[in-house]
Amino acid sequence: MAETLKTQLLDKQMKEVFDWSDDSTPVRDAMWNHVMDSNGHNTVKTIAEAKKWESMSDADLKKTAEDMLK
């Protein structure tokens, strides 16, 4: 059985998920860019962080993204 990844929230635009944002960037991309900027553009570290997002519940992911990006 193939593993199903939870990506629905990650693939929505920031403005669709957060009332404080008017950005059309997908949540995944905004989070990726933030992590890359904060760790000196270390792709390996960013991939390790991004893998965690795939297994989070929507509520946890939304909270993580909001804490990171707001």
Side-chain angles (χ1 to χ4, degrees), residues 13-29:
Q13 294 178 355
M14 288 287 294
K15 63 184 178 184
E16 293 177 305
V17 178
F18 303 107
D19 59 3
W20 48 263
S21 179
D22 61 357
D23 191 352
S24 60
T25 303
V27 173
R28 176 192 317 272
D29 292 352

Side-chain angles (χ1 to χ4, degrees), residues 6-64:
K6 294 168 43 175
T7 60
Q8 188 174 15
L9 184 67
L10 285 171
D11 293 333
K12 287 186 177 183
Q13 294 178 355
M14 288 287 294
K15 63 184 178 184
E16 293 177 305
V17 178
F18 303 107
D19 59 3
W20 48 263
S21 179
D22 61 357
D23 191 352
S24 60
T25 303
V27 173
R28 176 192 317 272
D29 292 352
M31 291 174 73
W32 176 274
N33 292 340
H34 176 82
V35 173
M36 284 289 281
D37 288 344
S38 68
N39 72 18
H41 295 269
N42 184 320
T43 305
V44 174
K45 287 183 182 178
T46 304
I47 289 170
E49 187 67 25
K51 285 183 180 188
K52 298 175 190 175
W53 307 335
E54 297 287 344
S55 61
M56 288 182 178
S57 69
D58 284 349
D60 288 343
L61 181 62
K62 186 174 180 179
K63 172 92 171 95
T64 299

